[in-house]
């Protein structure tokens, strides 16, 4: 069953942030060897390097609170989707920090993987 | 002369926001008929509809102050680029509003056009 890009974006973000906030070592399946993460300016390529970066972040308790999810088809013919998420990052009981994150999702069989991932605090 | 994607992103953003802040009716050349703009949740497709939306915004004096520009190649083979901009929008002397904006830039001869454009206030 195909889903529209808005539903896909919402489902992906719910899964991504729920996984991030409970056990972010499990996020590797969402990336491939050519995937890219730019995290507050540092660049990482490949599922392994990306998960190492995420796992190594100095967060204890972490929670993403989504404000808005906007999605668009990323090409005229393909099924890839661009998603912009804005929200707040809550870490270890500190004040919430506004953030923005872009995902470029590529279809892969019946699923999707993350090709581009850019995260920025917007404080 | 080819430029790397970071340089392209920086040059594009400087041109885009300078044009926006001086005469945003001139932004139409950056879009095509299949281009998409999602502006704080409202969707617009095509250069004409996009420029009409931008020109119709109830801004008098407007200034974008860029905080960060992050870019990544958006495909393994092509020359397209995804850009995440975070910054502040200053309108008519009101308090600056944090925003995030994504551009998906597609090569077109010696230049680029905007295929995806998503803008969100992040206040």
């Amino acid at each position: 069953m195909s889903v529209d890009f808005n539903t896909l974006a919402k489902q992906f973000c719910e899964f991504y942030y729920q996984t991030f906030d409970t056990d972010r070592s499990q996020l590797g399946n969402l990336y491939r060897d050519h995937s890219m993460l730019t995290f507050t300016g540092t660049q990482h390529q490949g599922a392994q390097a990306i998960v190492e970066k995420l796992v190594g972040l100095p967060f204890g308790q972490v929670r993403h609170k989504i404000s808005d999810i906007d999605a668009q088809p990323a090409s005229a013919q393909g099924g890839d989707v661009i998603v912009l998420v804005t929200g707040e990052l809550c870490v270890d009981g500190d004040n919430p920090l506004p953030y923005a994150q872009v995902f470029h999702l590529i279809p892969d069989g019946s699923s999707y993987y993350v090709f581009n991932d850019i995260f920025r605090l917007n404080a």
Side-chain angles (χ1 to χ4, degrees), chain A:
Chain A
M1 192 180 73
S2 70
V3 295
D4 75 274
F5 59 90
N6 285 309
T7 304
L8 166 71
K10 187 164 177 290
Q11 288 176 345
F12 170 81
C13 290
E14 283 172 1
F15 179 77
Y16 180 89
Y17 291 120
Q18 191 173 51
T19 306
F20 194 113
D21 294 352
T22 51
D23 180 4
R24 58 189 182 272
S25 72
Q26 302 300 311
L27 290 171
N29 289 339
L30 297 177
Y31 299 92
R32 297 289 179 272
D33 285 349
H34 55 290
S35 299
M36 288 168 272
L37 167 67
T38 304
F39 191 91
T40 61
T42 67
Q43 295 176 28
H44 312 273
Q45 183 154 25
Q48 190 178 341
I50 289 170
V51 171
E52 282 173 6
K53 170 64 181 178
L54 297 178
V55 169
L57 290 170
F59 299 161
Q61 281 203 310
V62 57
R63 192 167 64 87
H64 292 78
K65 190 178 160 201
I66 298 172
S67 301
D68 290 295
I69 299 172
D70 292 302
Q72 292 180 352
S75 60
Q77 67 289 355
D80 54 329
V81 174
I82 286 180
V83 186
L84 174 62
V85 186
T86 53
E88 289 183 329
L89 179 69
C90 310
V91 175
D92 296 331
D94 294 342
N95 286 335
L97 300 169
Y99 76 89
Q101 189 160 15
V102 182
F103 298 104
H104 181 199
L105 306 177
I106 309 272
D108 185 20
S110 62
S111 186
Y112 286 80
Y113 70 92
V114 180
F115 185 74
N116 302 97
D117 180 351
I118 305 177
F119 176 93
R120 267 285 171 194
L121 294 175
N122 201 2

